[in-house]
Amino acid sequence: MYTSTFTFLPGQYDDAFHALDQVIAEVARSIPGYLGEEAWENPATGLVCNVYYWESMDALQALMRHPSHVEAKQAQSRWLNGYQVVIAQVVGSYGDGRIAHPLAGQTVAPSRVPQRA
């Protein structure tokens, strides 16, 4: 299982941004192996963070290779004041089941993850 975390500082959005963003969201959700996403905003810094969960690296790369995603990456400086992407392998996931989460109910046994006392 993998995550792709896209952290960015918003700039000026226009109609083209909103249309392309919608297409990319629909494409991501249609890819076999897409598990879900969540978004966070930090009011202190203005940063926005979107975390996408993927069953496999192949699923994640299907989005990265999609023409709409390539177009957005090439035009990002029109709409964003900076960004960072982190791709990570999920080594474990667990919770008490009381919050909605894209990985809730997934069996991802923590491996080499220190447990809290």
Side-chain angles (χ1 to χ4, degrees):
M1 200 173 300
Y2 294 85
T3 62
S4 55
T5 302
F6 178 50
T7 304
F8 61 95
L9 187 59
Q12 291 296 109
Y13 299 156
D14 58 16
D15 290 342
F17 169 85
H18 291 294
L20 190 55
D21 188 55
Q22 183 63 37
V23 168
I24 293 168
E26 291 170 7
V27 167
R29 293 177 186 126
S30 74
I31 294 172
Y34 166 86
L35 298 174
E37 64 191 75
E38 52 190 343
W40 305 93
E41 292 185 38
N42 183 332
T45 64
L47 292 172
V48 177
C49 183
N50 295 325
V51 182
Y52 295 85
Y53 296 91
W54 303 94
E55 198 170 72
S56 68
M57 182 59 78
D58 289 338
L60 186 161
Q61 289 177 342
L63 177 64
M64 293 170 61
R65 290 188 302 263
H66 190 276
S68 295
H69 186 271
V70 172
E71 178 184 350
K73 189 172 179 181
Q74 291 170 345
Q76 59 79 24
S77 64
R78 264 178 63 189
W79 305 304
L80 305 179
N81 290 324
Y83 76 96
Q84 182 72 38
V85 176
V86 176
I87 307 298
Q89 187 170 12
V90 175
V91 297
S93 178
Y94 57 91
D96 65 6
R98 295 186 295 162
I99 63 170
H101 188 274
L103 298 184
Q106 295 283 332
T107 304
V108 184
S111 61
R112 298 182 301 254
V113 176
Q115 297 294 318
R116 293 183 184 215

